């Protein structure tokens, strides 16, 4: 723990008028969804991001990339929200203004009851045509082995283009409206929670700094240390599924 302890953060949370929260893969870890950068279980300990999460990869190996995302879709479909997702849904109902910003492409925040979620890196469930942007109606994901297997992406009935996952790959721009709303919230909130993210991917990672410069209290929730810890007002060390329910219970006993 750094700076304030949990009960001091809870007191500030109870008094806050606008809370903004940025979540990352760590928030879904306790639901059984692998993070990206965990050295043992992270997706990128086993799969090469350059070979899967870039537009170049999709252009070169569309079936491998589509199959990998179908496997991840099926993992999410079988997973359930955990106490961290539920605590954040509860928080939305407790504070006067709440902005939930996520880097996650799963829908576990929504399934826990969060009503407004800004998805900075898109959504796994929303594939669209590479050429004309027509949406693919989400169906049941294919049953594929661990890590996926080559699977041809379906073709758009309108223009014949390939469908692609509705996620933001490296080198692609974030959805403009979501990014603008997230940056506005970070600059206007009085308390900023940064939960379960390594804060290595830009521009999402810069939101903590935006909040801090605007005078917000910044709080990190993570079982491991991150490069941003030294610049946060408080660091609450532990899994989000434990820390967040404790924080809410302390703020609203
Ligand atoms: C727990 C836990 C528990 C574990 N409880 N916690 C400036 C400087 C340098 C580079 C760049 C820059 N600006 C842009 C770049 C390039 C690039 C970038 O940032 N690269 C860096 C890696 C160096 N950024 C981009 O390309 C972005 N686009 C962009 O900037 O466009 C601008 C542009 C302008 C003009 C022309 C063109 C473009 C796009 C970034 C897209 C990121 N996409 C991915 C893949 C999405 C699709 C998919 O899912 O496959 O998004 S990458 C991947 O990382 C994914 C995640 O959302 C993202 C963040 O990961 P996250 O959530 O932090 O996960 P981990 O695994 O890293 O960390 C998990 C954490 O949880 C750890 O800390 C654990 O300890 C913790 N944890 N258990 C709480 N129980
Ligand atoms: Zn099309």
């Amino acid at each position: 723990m750094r700076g304030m302890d949990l009960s001091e953060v809870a007191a500030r949370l109870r008094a806050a008028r606008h809370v903004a929260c940025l979540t990352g893969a760590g928030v879904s870890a306790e639901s059984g969804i692998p993070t990206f950068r965990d050295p043992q279980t992270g997706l990128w300990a086993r799969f090469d991001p350059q070979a899967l999460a870039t537009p170049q990869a999709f252009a070169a190996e569309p079936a491998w990339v589509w199959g990998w995302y179908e496997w991840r879709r099926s993992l999410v479909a079988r997973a359930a929200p955990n106490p961290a997702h539920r605590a954040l849904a509860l928080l939305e109902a407790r504070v006067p203004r709440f902005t939930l910003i996520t880097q996650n492409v799963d829908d576990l925040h929504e399934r826990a009851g969060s009503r407004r979620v800004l998805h900075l890196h898109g959504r796994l469930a929303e594939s669209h045509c590479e050429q004309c942007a027509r949406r693919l109606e989400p169906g049941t994901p294919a049953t594929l082995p661990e890590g996926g297997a080559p699977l041809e992406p379906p073709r758009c009935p309108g223009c014949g283009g390939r469908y692609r996952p509705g996620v933001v790959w490296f080198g692609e721009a974030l959805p403009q409206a979501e990014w603008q709303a997230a940056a506005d919230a970070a600059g206007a909130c009085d308390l900023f929670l940064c939960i379960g993210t390594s804060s290595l991917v830009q521009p999402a990672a810069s939101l903590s700094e935006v909040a801090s410069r605007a005078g917000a209290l910044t709080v990190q929730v993570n079982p491991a240390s991150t490069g941003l810890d030294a610049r946060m007002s408080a660091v609450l060390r532990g899994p989000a599924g434990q820390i967040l329910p404790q924080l809410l219970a302390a703020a609203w006993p």
Side-chain angles (χ1 to χ4, degrees):
M1 224 167 282
R2 196 191 148 270
M4 304 176 165
D5 67 13
L6 186 133
S7 62
E8 290 170 296
V9 173
R12 298 288 292 266
L13 188 60
R14 188 171 52 235
R17 283 157 298 130
H18 182 178
V19 175
C21 175
L22 173 68
T23 66
V27 161
S28 295
E30 290 161 83
S31 294
I33 311 286
T35 66
F36 292 92
R37 295 176 183 80
D38 182 282
Q40 266 86 47
T41 59
L43 288 170
W44 292 349
R46 297 176 286 154
F47 310 104
D48 176 5
Q50 294 310 323
L52 292 161
T54 65
Q56 292 77 15
F58 189 59
E61 297 281 0
W64 270 108
V65 173
W66 184 262
W68 190 65
Y69 280 95
E70 276 292 281
W71 166 67
R72 289 183 47 210
R73 252 192 291 277
S74 72
L75 277 182
V76 169
R78 290 196 304 269
N82 69 57
H85 297 108
R86 287 197 289 275
L88 291 170
L90 199 62
L91 193 54
E92 180 175 11
R94 287 262 200 259
V95 294
R97 223 181 133 200
F98 184 72
T99 310
L100 182 54
I101 307 158
T102 190
Q103 299 169 83
N104 296 345
V105 296
D106 65 49
D107 60 354
L108 296 176
H109 282 306
E110 286 88 345
R111 281 156 59 194
S114 285
R115 293 204 310 207
R116 185 160 166 266
V117 188
L118 300 171
H119 280 272
L120 294 184
H121 294 161
R123 295 175 164 86
L124 264 181
E126 288 188 1
S127 305
H128 61 265
C129 171
E130 220 182 359
Q131 283 173 36
C132 76
R134 180 199 281 240
R135 293 267 190 90
L136 177 67
E137 288 310 315
T140 310
T143 307
L144 294 171
E146 173 83 7
L151 189 68
E152 278 304 322
R155 292 278 178 175
C156 169
C159 77
R162 269 190 201 106
Y163 281 106
R164 59 156 285 173
V167 301
V168 180
W169 284 321
F170 283 117
E172 292 186 319
L174 274 55
Q176 178 63 31
E178 275 86 351
W179 171 249
Q180 195 55 57
D184 289 349
C189 68
D190 38 31
L191 197 152
F192 186 87
L193 284 164
C194 184
I195 310 171
T197 174
S198 60
S199 294
L200 290 171
V201 174
Q202 296 295 350
S206 69
L207 291 171
S208 298
E209 199 63 32
V210 170
S212 169
R213 272 203 301 272
L217 188 87
T218 53
V219 181
Q220 180 85 275
V221 178
N222 201 309
S225 59
T226 79
L228 289 189
D229 288 5
R231 284 184 292 188
M232 307 297 279
S233 319
V235 175
L236 304 177
R237 187 84 66 220
Q242 285 174 27
I243 299 284
L244 292 177
Q246 280 171 17
L247 189 60
L248 264 76
W252 292 277

